[in-house]
Amino acid sequence: MEYELKNPSDPYTFLAVDFEVATLTVFSISTLYGAEAKEGGESVPIFLFGGAKEWYVERFGRTPDEGREAKKEELAAALGSMMYGGFEDRRRYEAALTAITDPEKREKFIAEWQDGHSSLNDIGTYCHELAKRLRG
C-alpha cells in the first residue's frame, strides 16, 4: 500500500506491505511524523506528546523493537521506497525506475530525484541509508 508521510517538511511517499510496516517506517524516522494511506486505509498517528510505544504494543501486541526484528526485510523495503514527492509523482518515478536496468544508473537516478527536496531535512536519503543498514 502507498502512504504519504505526514511531516512539516517536503512531501514524501513510501510503499509498505501492511499497516505494521508502515508504522515501523514512520517510527524509524520520528514519532513526531505520521502517515496517511492513499486508498483510505488506516493512518499512522502523530505522537506529539508521547505514547507511541504504548500505542504500538496495544495495536500490534509487541514492542516496536520486536516488530522491527520480525519485519526487518519488509521494513528495509519500505524505507528504501521512500520517495520525495506526492502520490501523483510516484507513478512517474516508478515508471522511470522500471525503465532503468543498469544498477548504477538506477542508484544515480534515485539520488538525483531525492536531491529535489527543499528542506534541510533530507528524509529520503536518511531512509535509504537506514534501509541499507537493515539489509546489512
Side-chain angles (χ1 to χ4, degrees), residues 34-51:
E36 193 170 300
K38 180 179 181 181
E39 301 298 325
E42 290 184 83
S43 295
V44 179
I46 297 170
F47 293 94
L48 288 176
F49 303 108

Side-chain angles (χ1 to χ4, degrees), residues 72-117:
K72 189 176 183 177
E73 290 301 316
E74 296 92 339
L75 176 57
L79 287 165
S81 76
M82 190 65 69
M83 181 211 77
Y84 167 70
F87 290 133
E88 65 282 352
D89 298 312
R90 183 166 285 280
R91 185 183 53 76
R92 291 190 325 266
Y93 178 80
E94 294 291 340
L97 285 179
T98 300
I100 302 170
T101 56
D102 180 278
E104 288 180 22
K105 289 180 181 177
R106 188 178 168 94
E107 288 299 317
K108 184 175 184 201
F109 171 80
I110 291 170
E112 287 178 5
W113 183 283
Q114 298 297 354
D115 203 29
H117 67 91

Side-chain angles (χ1 to χ4, degrees), residues 1-7 12-16 19 22-23 26 33-46 86-87:
M1 180 167 250
E2 190 173 349
Y3 291 86
E4 179 180 32
L5 183 68
K6 295 299 183 185
N7 73 95
Y12 284 92
T13 62
F14 64 96
L15 306 173
F19 183 59
T23 301
V26 173
Y33 296 170
E36 193 170 300
K38 180 179 181 181
E39 301 298 325
E42 290 184 83
S43 295
V44 179
I46 297 170
F87 290 133

